[in-house]
Amino acid sequence: MSSLRGQRVVVASLFLPDSLSSARSSPASPVPAPQHLGSNTKAFSIVADLQDKSRNAPPTLRSPVNESANPFAGVSGALRRRPSRSLSRQHIDPKQPRHIEPSSHCNGGLKNAIDSIGTKLKKLWVGTLGTSIDSISHSQRIEIEKSLAALPQHPSLPVWVPDVEFSSCYAEFCHQVLWPCLHYAIPDAPKTKMFYESASFKQYVAVNQRFADAIIAAHQEGDIIWVNDYHLMLLPGLLRDSGKIPPTTPIGFFMHVAFPSSEIFRCLSVRQPLLRGVLGADLVGFQTANYARHFRQTVHRILAYEALPKGIMVADGDGAAGEDKTGKDGQKARGRFVDVGVFPMGIDVGQLKQKKAEPEVKEWIQLLSQRYAGMKIVVGRDKLDEIQGVRHKIKAFEYFLERHPEYQGKAILIQIALPTRSPHAHTPSHPLPEAPDVTEAIARINARFSTLTYQPVVFLHTQDLTFSQYLALLSAADAFIVTSLREGMALRTHEFVECQEGRCRPLILSEVRAPISCLPARA
């Protein structure tokens, strides 16, 4: 790190960590303000939840599924489907005053990782605002650019992408083509025309080119460029091929999600441009050794480049494409080496411990312990995407209660739903069958096993909880369960482990989840 002091890191991410909001617009992912616990604790207490229900409403016999499932008072716990973050660009009223606020679209793990560096490195974020920008005039854009560049913690450069172009790139190509492929979810024939022909790839190229133009325009000598995730796979190659930045400029690319085997990736009609785009980087990083190996093998099998244990040999003089070049003397170019490494992301442990030490968290831990005294609390926190396996988790918990009736009334599953980034969220041809399956499974298990004072599954949305309540829930939990069918390095398991404070409570992980490969002896 000391060798990089004085240099600037340009962080290219589809969404900036900060966005715009007008007086009439509401945040894309509203989070309730923390409730203050004091002399009026009983009015907000989770302990009084069932007491209030039993006094005010007669329960339906054996089926209290219409009751509020939220143990936290003052927050609605109705089972519902939230709008997808992927398709919900916030609309800004150009006539209303604007202010800058944290973006709900930005990759939280990436943001926390960058923030943990502090002031050791100069940083410039490059990305979109996550809002509708067609109604913003040129003069207003200049004003916004000045405001974002002056941010002390996240100095940013916005990339202006027209709404239609962004929607086609992100909602169609990224989420209906790339995302399923990277997570082993190849669609069934014959409804695969868009997947294999990838008409929206033109917009994907256009968005990546806009990022390249913005980075080139802001480039300074000594910059280090760091490109993030599958939304910008072409960007390293576009920068390398532009000839407008020095060839010695370090470019890195990090894939935050999974990377599949070559048999899956080769189903993409645009597989070669994507791989060549990534190979424009000097260093390509993945969450696990398996994903890095899949990438090396895919490049070798599709592009016929030499794949070595630590990277890829690409012909010199070609940058991203890497095809063999022959000089005037008839000799082939010497080539350049693209390092491929494993860099699993983590969490800011110091910040988490500091937050967990706050009195509000301790009070919520105490209230949870009272509310669920004598019960075993199992916690899950997942998106409602198909790959997260929430429906499988609910069915497994139902099977557990069947096989072990002694835990009926004594074990509870608290499932928190994150905003979805499903590739098929809210599109006419893909009504997202996973969410109804989850709600039906929850209704069924609650109808079978609920009593007047017991509900086996509590379903919440992450917007329904403050961060203090979430940390208290992790601290009070007797187990944390993740049943992903395929996933990158999601960090909620790390948070659970750090909240245990030396206790050895079970962490139940799917065997195909990235943290499995990071655990000692694959335990």
Side-chain angles (χ1 to χ4, degrees), residues 342-356:
V342 179
F343 311 100
M345 293 191 69
I347 61 175
D348 190 336
V349 176
Q351 184 181 27
L352 186 68
K353 289 184 177 180
Q354 182 180 1
K355 180 66 177 179
K356 189 175 178 297

Side-chain angles (χ1 to χ4, degrees), residues 370-414:
Q370 295 173 2
R371 167 66 173 81
Y372 297 113
M375 300 180 66
K376 297 296 183 181
I377 305 175
V378 181
V379 176
R381 181 172 177 260
D382 311 271
K383 301 183 183 75
L384 293 183
D385 297 335
E386 295 93 328
I387 65 166
Q388 299 296 325
V390 178
R391 175 171 53 88
H392 304 75
K393 180 191 303 183
I394 301 300
K395 289 185 175 181
F397 188 67
E398 180 179 18
Y399 183 67
F400 168 76
L401 294 179
E402 290 177 353
R403 290 288 303 272
H404 300 278
E406 66 273 17
Y407 281 100
Q408 296 178 16
K410 297 181 180 180
I412 182 172
L413 171 62
I414 301 180

